[in-house]
Amino acid sequence: MNVTANKGMDMTIYKDSVKRAPTQREIILDVLREAGDKGVLNIELVEICIGYRSRIAELYQMGYKVDVENVEKGACIYTLISEPEVPVTIVPKAVDVLAKKINEEYFGAITTDNLVELLGELNLNVVRKAGSHKK
């Protein structure tokens, strides 16, 4: 259907009628489900998405439990352990979670040792933003 040819067409109807392609996260979740207990090698996941680890992290944030087992020389097997009854769709930013915890438990001030401990407790990881090496 040529959308530009029919300028009077209701775009809502058009958008509703177009089938959305599955996201990389959805594809990876389907592959993990199909693999079951045998799991999926990371070299298979990279064929779906180079950033498969980010998609796995998104699944974790949504409440899915995915186990990772190092096999050998960089090869890992990812296995879907469990699924949430209702996936979490709104995941708070890590910095907001950290700031809230610091304010609640440390009254807004924290030592380096406490920060390192808290990052571990909350399963948070500090990384540099892309391009930060240029500064």
Side-chain angles (χ1 to χ4, degrees), residues 18-90:
V18 175
K19 182 171 171 48
R20 181 181 60 81
T23 64
Q24 292 172 335
R25 182 180 64 227
E26 291 168 337
I27 294 169
I28 287 174
L29 181 57
D30 287 343
V31 168
L32 288 168
R33 284 175 175 149
E34 289 173 17
D37 292 341
K38 70 177 186 168
V40 182
L41 282 169
N42 58 337
I43 56 176
E44 296 173 62
L45 294 174
V46 80
E47 293 295 322
I48 298 167
C49 169
I50 291 173
Y52 70 91
R53 285 175 286 205
S54 295
R55 304 298 77 82
I56 298 285
E58 291 169 1
L59 289 171
Y60 178 76
Q61 290 174 335
M62 294 172 68
Y64 294 87
K65 301 296 181 218
V66 179
D67 186 42
V68 60
E69 178 185 344
N70 291 319
V71 182
E72 62 178 58
K73 297 182 182 177
C76 302
I77 295 177
Y78 288 84
T79 307
L80 182 62
I81 302 301
S82 66
E83 299 189 40
E85 285 186 32
V86 178
V88 176
T89 56
I90 300 173

Side-chain angles (χ1 to χ4, degrees), residues 106-131:
Y106 298 92
F107 307 104
I110 193 168
T111 67
T112 305
D113 289 341
N114 290 141
L115 177 60
V116 170
E117 182 180 316
L118 192 55
L119 288 170
E121 176 187 319
L122 296 173
N123 292 319
L124 299 177
N125 190 24
V126 177
V127 296
R128 297 181 191 275
K129 289 185 177 182

